[in-house]
Every structure is written in structure tokens, then in C-alpha cells.
Amino acid sequence: KAGVTQTPRYLIKTRGQQVTLSCSPISGHRSVSWYQQTPGQGLQFLFEYFSETQRNKGNFPGRFSGRQFSNSRSEMNVSTLELGDSALYLCASSSRDRDTEAFFGQGTRLTVV
Amino acid sequence: GESVGLHLPTLSVQEGDNSIINCAYSNSASDYFIWYKQESGKGPQFIIDIRSNMDKRQGQRVTVLLNKTVKHLSLQIAATQPGDSAVYFCAESLKGGAQKLVFGQGTRLTINP
């Protein structure tokens, strides 16, 4: 059974650009959560999608957005990139509503220059 | 490899010794707790979880202890091995599941031969 797949693994973008990251959950999983990981702030929750609906949202500006497709694949978008957006972006999937275990992908390392 | 934290608390133990990693969580209303292990270049990996109606749970070589009075969580690893070297995070949830987690800062565990 394939794990959570995030693409691309690495990205370099320029300030002011936008970026789209992709997450394919484990087959059959319907919940996808996104996290930002930085040395200074650690792991912080961005948002969670379940059955194509955003169910939870963290404390990030509106430049951070996401969506989920009918096949449960999810994308997150960051517009007007800032240097501080450089981070490892992780997604996690779980199998059903209020499931207890979330499986993480390897992340996308975004560098903003 | 990935740098998950430049100023993490660190713990060094001898191979074969037991390790205890501590975590103070933030919200007294949290009802579900997880320990994750993150190796360089990888996403967090589930180790063990515990619900707020329990104070101890054991897995294979790992034990989690929960003290709700002082909002403290600990992870005990028995007979540590070189493969246990990683950053360990505790995470809490208000919703009884792993869809929206609040992570601690992490502890870097180093196993000395």
C-alpha cells in the first residue's frame, strides 16, 4: 500500500511568486491535513480537508489556501511568497472522520529567495 | 538532511540505556496525544498515542505516560538503539483525532555507541 506522496520534493521560488504543492493521500483516506515546519516555529497546522470541504483552519494569512479533489488528493497554494514562507510543508492523511492516526508524507521543501 | 530545529532540546544516551523524553502540553482540554518520530529527510512517523482517560500506555519498547494534573506527557524508550536517533515530537488534539494537531517543539535524541 503506497504511503502519502507529496510533490515536488524541493522547490525554489522568488519573492512575490506563487506556488502550488500537491499531496496524494493513502488510498481510501479522505482526510488531508497540511502543516508548515520551520526551525523557529516548529510544526504548525495550516488546514484540514475532508470530503472536499475545509473542516479546520490554522492561524495563517489568506495567502495560504488549499483545496481537495473528489479523489481526496489535495493541493495547497501560497500566493505572493515571502522569505518567511521558506519551510518544509507536510501533509498527513487519515482514513475516516475523527480517525486517530495520521500518516505523514516526506514533505515539500520550499525555499523562497 | 532536513533541519527540523536549530535550537531543540537535546538528549544523549548510551546505546542500550533507557530514554525518557518529556513534553509539556498547552491545553487542559486536549483529549488525545501522540508521539511522533522524525528522522532527517522524512516526515513525522507515528510512535504511540494515548487518550485523556488513560495515564499510561505501552507499545513495543515504548511507553507513554500522561499526567493531566500538570499537563505533562513523557515517552520512555527501552533499550535504545542507534535507529532511535531522531527528533521526537509530542502532539495534542482537542478533537479526539489526528486531523488538527498542536505540536511541541521537539527533542533531538542522540544515541551514543
Side-chain angles (χ1 to χ4, degrees), chain A residues 48-60:
Chain A
E48 182 231 348
Y49 287 86
F50 180 80
S51 294
E52 301 180 65
T53 300
Q54 187 181 87
R55 191 162 61 173
N56 291 292
K57 190 176 190 306
N59 296 322
F60 278 81

